[in-house]
Amino acid sequence: MLYDSFRLNLKNKLKTKDFPLHPSKKELAHIREFTECDFLINVITLKLKNNAGSFTFSRDYGTSIKKNESVTKIWIYDLNTLELISKSQSTATNEVKETEDSGFGIVTSSYGLAFSSLRRLIKKYDKYRKDK
């Protein structure tokens, strides 16, 4: 059962696979009980496209447009009220056009884009903190 795995893993650390991305009120109450925390923050990053890879090169002929794209989502639950109090999403895209004279270039991968999105969301939350 899910709650038994909470007890087991709290002796070490919680593992993300041990609780759902969108927990019910009952699950939030159990998380609060076993963690003694006030908030649960769930984060997910999705790689949508990684067509451009990490490098661009000149093409022998023609044009090619490639795209790297990722999305990052954050949900914050208040474990005292058992409510979702905030959710945010950030999408990052990097599109490159390879032509005969485009040369060599470095492109941010979808993983790098996801990390940048996560940093932006954390900065946003930090900006509006009330305990500063």
Side-chain angles (χ1 to χ4, degrees), residues 55 76 94 107:
F55 303 100
I76 300 177
N94 192 351
V107 180

Side-chain angles (χ1 to χ4, degrees), residues 7-69:
R7 286 188 196 105
L8 220 83
N9 286 320
L10 280 174
K11 292 178 183 172
N12 299 316
K13 289 185 178 178
L14 276 174
K15 296 177 184 171
T16 53
K17 65 180 174 99
D18 293 332
F19 55 92
L21 190 58
H22 304 291
S24 67
K25 287 187 184 259
K26 183 177 179 181
E27 291 166 328
L28 288 170
H30 281 1
I31 292 169
R32 180 188 63 208
E33 177 185 346
F34 295 122
T35 63
E36 298 178 2
C37 293
D38 293 324
F39 299 96
L40 170 67
I41 302 172
N42 282 342
V43 178
I44 187 169
T45 59
L46 303 169
K47 177 181 77 168
L48 301 179
K49 292 183 183 176
N50 200 34
N51 299 338
S54 298
F55 303 100
T56 62
F57 302 94
S58 292
R59 299 179 55 79
D60 290 336
Y61 59 90
T63 300
S64 174
I65 297 175
K66 296 180 180 179
K67 189 176 190 179
N68 289 345
E69 186 174 18

Side-chain angles (χ1 to χ4, degrees), residues 99-116:
T99 61
E100 294 172 20
D101 59 348
S102 61
F104 174 78
I106 297 176
V107 180
T108 305
S109 70
S110 59
Y111 298 108
L113 293 172
F115 183 72
S116 296

